[in-house]
Amino acid sequence: MSVIKEIYDVANDAAALKQKRAALKRALRTELKLNHKFLQDVKVEDIDDSRRIEMLKMLEIEELSAAVKLEIPYTLLSRKKVEEELATRHKVKPIVGFSIGELIEHLYLMISYLKKDYNNPRIHLNLRLINIYKYNRVLIELLN
């Protein structure tokens, strides 16, 4: 095989990988932005629990689930970590230092758990939704 052919193949593979990475980021970002729209009312104090439950049921986790279950190499998406300034701005100190993979996994688990156990009387639904909203916003920023 010629050197030129090898270089061509490597360049071709790199271009295909870049396209796949861009598509994955776009799919995650789109899902997160949709969830952001659903959760915007959560900051309003005068909504009732039935509206909160509707909001929770509308949350999408298909792409988050795929990212967690397929064990994608998160460093391909972004090497960024949650810095103190970002966590402080969104008021979520416990996630300082989280990688994008840890944040995706945490957000997926938070939404999945709450979708299954939202009727638990020990759960403060509004606080949980607010936390999901904050994690979601941080993740959007890391993917940009």
Side-chain angles (χ1 to χ4, degrees):
M1 186 186 297
S2 75
V3 173
I4 292 175
K5 174 72 171 127
E6 279 189 46
I7 292 172
Y8 174 78
D9 288 345
V10 168
N12 227 8
D13 291 345
L17 183 60
K18 186 176 181 180
Q19 283 180 328
K20 288 178 184 176
R21 187 192 90 197
L24 181 57
K25 277 179 83 168
R26 186 173 46 255
L28 274 170
R29 241 191 338 256
T30 302
E31 184 171 274
L32 294 169
K33 286 179 181 178
L34 180 62
N35 287 346
H36 178 76
K37 292 281 187 194
F38 290 145
L39 289 168
Q40 282 187 331
D41 287 345
V42 81
K43 298 176 292 185
V44 179
E45 292 295 324
D46 61 345
I47 61 174
D48 60 357
D49 274 352
S50 63
R51 174 65 182 138
R52 289 183 182 107
I53 291 169
E54 283 177 33
M55 290 166 47
L56 175 62
K57 288 180 179 180
M58 288 187 290
L59 292 179
E60 298 287 330
I61 58 169
E62 188 175 319
E63 298 300 331
L64 288 170
S65 175
V68 169
K69 291 177 182 172
L70 298 176
E71 297 181 25
I72 61 163
Y74 297 113
T75 54
L76 289 176
L77 296 176
S78 176
R79 295 187 189 283
K80 296 177 188 175
K81 290 192 178 235
V82 179
E83 296 175 1
E84 180 132 9
E85 183 272 325
L86 181 62
T88 304
R89 187 165 13 112
H90 293 290
K91 299 176 182 135
V92 282
K93 286 280 192 179
I95 63 172
V96 172
F98 272 31
S99 68
I100 200 157
E102 291 169 314
L103 197 52
I104 286 172
E105 189 174 319
H106 249 73
L107 184 58
Y108 168 73
L109 290 172
M110 290 168 71
I111 295 171
S112 297
Y113 171 74
L114 198 54
K115 279 186 168 219
K116 293 180 181 189
D117 200 23
Y118 62 85
N119 280 327
N120 186 336
R122 296 180 307 172
I123 289 177
H124 191 287
L125 188 57
N126 198 52
L127 286 178
R128 296 282 178 107
L129 287 171
I130 288 170
N131 284 335
I132 289 171
Y133 177 76
K134 290 176 182 180
Y135 276 58
N136 195 67
R137 286 181 55 194
V138 170
L139 190 51
I140 289 171
E141 284 195 38
L142 285 182
L143 287 173
N144 284 334

